[in-house]
Amino acid sequence: MRETYGVVLPAMKLGDLTGKLVVIEGTDGVGRTTQINLLKPWLEHQGHAVVDTGITRSNLAGKGIKRAKKGHTLGRITQTLFYATDFADRLINQIVPALRAGFVVLTDRYIYSLMARASVRGLDPEWLRKIYSFALIPDAVFYLRIGVDDLIPRVVFSRGFDFWESGMDLHPGEDMYESFRKYQSALLGQFDRLAEEDRFTVIDATGDIRSIFEQLQTGIAACLNGEERSKESGVAPQPSATPVSESAAPTPETDAAVREEVAVGKAT
Amino acid sequence: MKRYGDHRFPGKLFIVEGIDGSGKSTQLNLLYQWLQSEGYGVVFSEWNSSPLVRDVTRRGKKKRMLVPSTFSLIHATDFADRVEHNIIPLLKAGAVVLCDRYIYTAFARDVTRGMDPQWVRELYAFAVKPTVSFYFRVPLEVATKRLHSGRNGFKFYEAGMDLDLADDPDESFRVFQGRIVDEYEKMVPEFELTAIDATLPIEEQQSQMRQIVKARLAQAKRLRVAP
């Protein structure tokens, strides 16, 4: 039976939510979107109906947040609660209906990224936990973990430093490189803490797209087969120790997709 | 993050609560006039939230997109903006700040909509604790009668129409407000709200209010120039 982190929202029948909720977490530029774009067709190929969602994609607050990031300044608490509103709207209007219909919901980030960002901005982690206690506990959380030294070249050679991803609101007047280092290091610290508290499956994201994809396939296949999440936490599973199940073996289609992704990555 | 009750500011914060038609806004206006004439630097905290948040709230209401959780969160976002950009700076500057409705309105409304009472209280933990919170206690029939002579028709969320309490907006409003009153009554001891009998003559209520406020302003600095 599905559970929340503490509070159940009005009119929510947890027993009806029979689908699977799978979360891909990780910091900016780590490759979450690339993986989701591979996972969705792979799951659909296997006959699962898939819905994907992510931060600021709510009908209610998504546009407002995006506009806010373009220049207007919101206070830290205001910003945090704006994101919480966006999350609640997506939970009610996207995630819950899909789970009720038996879909696999793939979410690009979840409450963990939101809590990590707000904690780095000085808000109380205990308070954030309580605010987000209405969130559903996912069936699996895959954390694409990377160190800041490995992250920097990726960001520099792809899209460059972004104002918010560099935490420039926290370090005004500094250069983006210094700010990015500090901000992302602090974020990674928060993610590591959450990975332990919430039993994330940690995936080493310094590897190539293909190997990360295979690890995700293995993990998601286990989750869909109804295997319980490991009770141990915080330790990155070594790729060699990960059993590759039959069902998770890449199909020719996904192979092609991986090659395409890699090629696109090289081209940019 | 400073929590409710932790803030220490030179300014003072007085707020009024009560259902629509309780007369709280009338009383707050009279208090404002008096404080000003006494030479205090007094300001209304206007609900001047960022246009970004305001537009989302307005659109959500207009299109009836809000459910209890998002209704609660978008109002908390709006309130946070008001606290961070308006109330706290004013209190730091030593002003006497007046608010028409405060977090207790949210507690009453959100809990009536089925949100968990403890969760809602935690959500607003960042709010500054008022110097005094006045609650204007009035029987529902008296308040409704005052409203009917003053305005026509209730809005969708105002009448609690999202809760399916009744098909008729007037009836829905009455049931909804009745539940709000129950929530207020629970909060009187919990948050030490100062209850004022809102059936008394306006002058009598105002005189009680001024006495209470005066006692709390003994040490407050009087700004020479009103802001």
Side-chain angles (χ1 to χ4, degrees):
Chain A
M1 165 94 164
R2 191 161 291 285
E3 289 174 56
T4 70
Y5 282 103
V7 168
V8 180
L9 293 180
M12 191 176 290
K13 296 192 183 76
L14 294 173
D16 293 352
L17 310 180
T18 53
K20 293 285 182 185
L21 179 57
V22 176
V23 176
I24 311 292
E25 270 287 2
T27 194
D28 308 289
V30 75
R32 296 180 324 276
T33 315
T34 304
Q35 294 297 333
I36 285 175
N37 290 342
L38 293 172
L39 289 168
K40 196 171 180 236
W42 169 68
L43 284 164
E44 285 170 347
H45 180 81
Q46 295 194 334
H48 300 289
V50 181
V51 157
D52 66 317
T53 179
I55 289 175
T56 70
R57 290 198 228 158
S58 79
N59 193 7
L60 177 65
K63 277 189 199 144
I65 292 175
K66 281 178 187 154
R67 259 182 289 151
K69 288 175 90 171
K70 282 197 183 123
H72 300 261
T73 49
L74 295 178
R76 290 173 191 185
I77 298 172
T78 310
Q79 200 180 350
T80 297
L81 293 176
F82 215 172
Y83 276 106
T85 307
D86 170 73
F87 173 76
D89 193 56
R90 286 186 300 113
L91 182 73
I92 299 286
N93 292 314
Q94 298 174 11
I95 298 176
V96 164
L99 291 175
R100 201 184 289 129
F103 278 53
V104 175
V105 178
L106 266 184
T107 158
D108 183 357
R109 305 182 188 263
Y110 199 58
I111 59 170
Y112 316 109
S113 275
L114 299 172
M115 293 196 294
R117 286 181 189 175
S119 299
V120 169
R121 287 179 171 80
L123 299 190
D124 176 9
E126 285 301 304
W127 180 70
L128 292 163
R129 277 264 176 220
K130 287 179 187 157
I131 300 311
Y132 282 110
S133 64
F134 64 86
L136 298 172
I137 300 178
D139 295 287
V141 183
F142 298 97
Y143 168 39
L144 306 187
R145 189 178 190 281
I146 195 167
V148 76
D149 289 326
D150 291 309
L151 183 63
I152 284 171
R154 284 200 196 197
V155 171
V156 170
F157 298 116
S158 57
R159 48 191 167 163
F161 295 119
D162 163 276
F163 181 90
W164 294 99
E165 291 176 6
S166 302
M168 287 297 281
D169 58 321
L170 291 174
H171 314 111
E174 282 187 34
D175 74 68
M176 271 201 176
Y177 171 79
E178 291 297 340
S179 183
F180 184 91
R181 267 203 95 81
K182 275 191 214 167
Y183 175 64
Q184 291 291 338
S185 302
L187 264 185
L188 295 172
Q190 292 296 330
F191 272 121
D192 286 346
R193 175 179 65 84
L194 292 166
E196 229 167 273
E197 290 175 10
D198 290 275
R199 304 187 281 110
F200 295 171
T201 302
V202 184
I203 290 177
D204 177 6
T206 56
D208 59 28
I209 291 173
R210 170 74 184 264
S211 87
I212 296 168
F213 179 51
E214 283 171 7
Q215 291 180 65
L216 286 170
Q217 284 178 312
T218 308
I220 291 174
C223 166
L224 298 185
N225 289 336
E227 286 170 32
E228 282 284 304
R229 272 163 76 184
S230 159
K231 297 286 174 201
E232 288 158 36
S233 63
V235 187
Q238 295 305 307
S240 56
T242 315
V244 178
S245 76
E246 292 288 321
S247 64
T251 61
E253 286 86 344
T254 52
D255 264 347
V258 169
R259 277 197 299 275
E260 208 172 280
E261 281 291 331
V262 173
V264 168
K266 276 182 186 154
T268 48
Chain B
M1 187 184 93
K2 284 236 165 62
R3 293 178 63 93
Y4 186 83
D6 289 346
H7 300 85
R8 294 290 173 271
F9 295 123
K12 302 282 176 192
L13 175 62
F14 298 101
I15 68 104
V16 296
E17 287 279 3
I19 55 172
D20 296 329
S22 62
K24 60 186 181 329
S25 308
T26 306
Q27 291 296 332
L28 197 65
N29 277 313
L30 290 169
L31 188 72
Y32 174 83
Q33 300 300 337
W34 172 69
L35 285 168
Q36 211 175 31
S37 69
E38 292 281 298
Y40 290 99
V42 58
V43 269
F44 274 113
S45 162
E46 302 288 348
W47 207 284
N48 257 342
S49 71
S50 137
L52 292 164
V53 185
R54 198 174 48 220
D55 288 352
V56 171
T57 313
R58 201 177 285 157
R59 184 167 151 266
K61 284 187 177 171
K62 201 173 156 201
K63 299 201 163 180
R64 299 184 183 175
M65 293 162 75
L66 301 173
V67 296
S69 55
T70 47
F71 185 95
S72 176
L73 282 162
I74 196 64
H75 283 90
T77 309
D78 219 83
F79 179 77
D81 197 44
R82 190 180 177 199
V83 169
E84 291 188 297
H85 284 146
N86 184 246
I87 295 177
I88 287 182
L90 287 169
L91 291 173
K92 279 187 180 166
V96 177
V97 179
L98 306 182
C99 290
D100 191 342
R101 294 190 176 280
Y102 202 63
I103 56 176
Y104 314 106
T105 291
F107 296 171
R109 283 199 302 216
D110 293 349
V111 172
T112 299
R113 286 199 158 83
M115 296 302 292
D116 180 85
Q118 285 318 310
W119 181 84
V120 181
R121 283 153 174 72
E122 193 60 30
L123 178 62
Y124 283 92
F126 61 87
V128 179
K129 185 181 176 184
T131 311
V132 180
S133 306
F134 292 98
Y135 168 54
F136 291 84
R137 183 182 270 149
V138 64
L140 198 54
E141 311 80 66
V142 177
T144 320
K145 207 173 285 170
R146 285 178 187 167
L147 280 182
H148 269 293
S149 51
R151 51 196 276 191
N152 45 359
F154 301 115
K155 292 179 191 152
F156 182 77
Y157 286 102
E158 189 183 33
M161 290 295 282
D162 55 321
L163 296 176
D164 284 330
L165 301 168
D167 291 337
D168 171 50
D170 283 8
E171 179 56 22
S172 176
F173 180 83
R174 258 189 301 279
V175 177
F176 186 58
Q177 294 296 316
R179 293 190 190 172
I180 299 267
V181 167
D182 294 343
E183 288 303 321
Y184 270 130
E185 289 299 335
K186 284 184 215 162
M187 287 191 282
V188 170
E190 185 184 353
F191 295 103
E192 296 167 320
L193 307 183
T194 301
I196 302 278
D197 179 353
T199 59
L200 292 173
I202 289 175
E203 297 80 0
E204 172 59 26
Q205 293 179 52
Q206 183 61 206
S207 132
Q208 288 181 13
M209 235 184 143
R210 289 181 185 181
Q211 244 172 9
I212 293 162
V213 168
K214 201 170 199 170
R216 302 303 294 265
L217 285 178
Q219 305 97 343
K221 72 172 173 182
R222 282 188 197 205
L223 295 183
R224 288 281 169 215
V225 187

